[in-house]
């Protein structure tokens, strides 16, 4: 599931990279040569192609490769982040050295994405980090977050349930780990904020697949 999630989010971000959304400030495109053509524009892919997150990086790269069916699309420049802070920062510097690279997609994970984002901000290179935790996008005007946090996903589900599906009674069933508790709390608060009703709330051991007990 982790590989599928990484692949899906990478493909989505690649499609949407030209119109990143922000809640504060304005985005300033990276300067390019006046005579540059569309074919000279490049997208940097900063992915863990070695190290502990190698499988995630390979899945993301496969998703991007499959999405690039248009031969007139921008060229992709792939750099290995090695899944480390040092590798991520070095990767940003390498991509920034090429003036044709307009945006960087990656790396994967909060810690390395935050480090890469800090360096990208310093260099004025737009970066869309593949991390779900909130706050990455607050590093500056050139740093974006390409994944929804668990709280944002839960709040969106609550909005759909109350406003679109008009559910009168809602139950919550979540794993009892930290992530599950955060999602459940955000969902509960959003339902209440929208005048919905949570009539039951239970949790189960994280990793349990048989919920009939």
């Amino acid at each position: 599931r982790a590989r599928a999630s990484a692949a899906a989010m990478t493909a989505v971000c690649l499609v949407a990279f030209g119109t990143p959304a922000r809640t504060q400030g304005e985005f300033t495109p990276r300067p390019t040569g006046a005579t540059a053509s569309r074919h000279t524009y490049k997208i940097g892919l900063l992915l863990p192609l070695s190290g502990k997150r190698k499988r995630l990086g390979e899945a993301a790269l496969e998703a991007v490769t499959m999405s690039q069916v248009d031969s007139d699309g921008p060229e992709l420049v792939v750099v290995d982040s090695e899944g480390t802070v040092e590798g991520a920062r070095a990767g940003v510097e390498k991509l920034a050295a090429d003036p044709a690279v307009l945006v960087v997609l990656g790396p994967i994970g909060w810690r390395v994405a935050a480090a890469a984002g800090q360096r990208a901000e310093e260099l004025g290179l737009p970066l869309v980090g593949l991390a779900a935790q909130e706050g990455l996008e607050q590093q500056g005007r050139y740093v974006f977050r390409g994944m929804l946090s668990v709280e944002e996903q839960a709040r969106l589900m609550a909005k759909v349930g109350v406003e679109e599906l008009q559910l009168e009674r809602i139950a919550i069933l979540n794993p009892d780990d930290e992530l599950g508790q955060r999602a459940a709390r955000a969902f509960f608060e959003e339902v209440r904020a929208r005048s919905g009703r949570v009539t039951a709330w239970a949790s189960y051991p994280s990793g349990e697949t048989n919920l009939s007990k």
Side-chain angles (χ1 to χ4, degrees):
R1 285 183 293 179
R3 293 188 67 194
S5 176
M9 287 309 304
T10 304
V12 169
C13 288
L14 183 65
V15 171
F17 87 95
T19 55
R22 297 189 71 89
T23 56
Q24 296 180 348
E26 296 182 357
F27 169 69
T28 303
R30 191 180 189 207
T32 57
T35 60
S37 68
R38 178 169 178 252
H39 297 278
T40 64
Y41 296 165
K42 302 177 183 179
I43 299 176
L45 299 178
L46 187 56
L47 302 172
L49 301 178
S50 61
K52 294 182 179 180
R53 295 199 169 188
K54 178 181 178 180
R55 293 181 62 189
L56 287 175
E58 291 175 342
L61 180 59
E62 181 180 358
V64 171
T65 302
M66 292 177 62
S67 69
Q68 290 295 288
V69 295
D70 182 2
S71 60
D72 291 329
E75 180 182 343
L76 302 179
V77 182
V78 182
V79 175
D80 182 10
S81 70
E82 302 174 357
T84 67
V85 167
E86 296 77 11
R89 291 179 63 87
V92 169
E93 293 172 356
K94 181 177 181 179
L95 291 167
D98 185 346
V101 174
L102 298 187
V103 64
V104 175
L105 178 59
I108 297 174
W110 165 259
R111 190 170 64 91
V112 290
Q118 181 182 38
R119 188 61 180 135
E121 181 67 22
E122 295 169 352
L123 296 172
L125 176 62
L127 179 142
V128 182
L130 298 178
Q133 292 91 330
E134 296 182 35
L136 180 66
E137 69 280 12
Q138 297 175 2
Q139 287 190 309
R141 65 194 303 185
Y142 290 98
V143 183
F144 303 84
R145 175 164 51 94
M147 300 179 70
L148 293 176
S149 70
V150 64
E151 289 86 358
E152 289 169 331
Q153 294 177 55
R155 288 193 288 267
L156 180 59
M157 290 175 62
K159 177 180 181 295
V160 171
V162 175
E163 295 190 353
E164 297 185 21
L165 300 180
Q166 298 183 346
L167 301 177
E168 297 182 357
R169 295 183 298 174
I170 298 175
I172 299 175
L173 180 62
N174 64 276
D176 60 4
D177 56 17
E178 178 187 359
L179 199 63
Q181 292 171 2
R182 284 168 47 195
R185 175 58 58 182
F187 182 87
F188 174 76
E189 292 176 350
E190 188 68 18
V191 169
R192 290 189 61 184
R194 296 180 180 277
S195 301
R197 293 179 58 203
V198 173
T199 57
W201 187 348
S203 61
Y204 59 90
S206 178
E208 179 62 64
T209 57
N210 184 2
L211 303 183
S212 62
K213 299 179 180 179

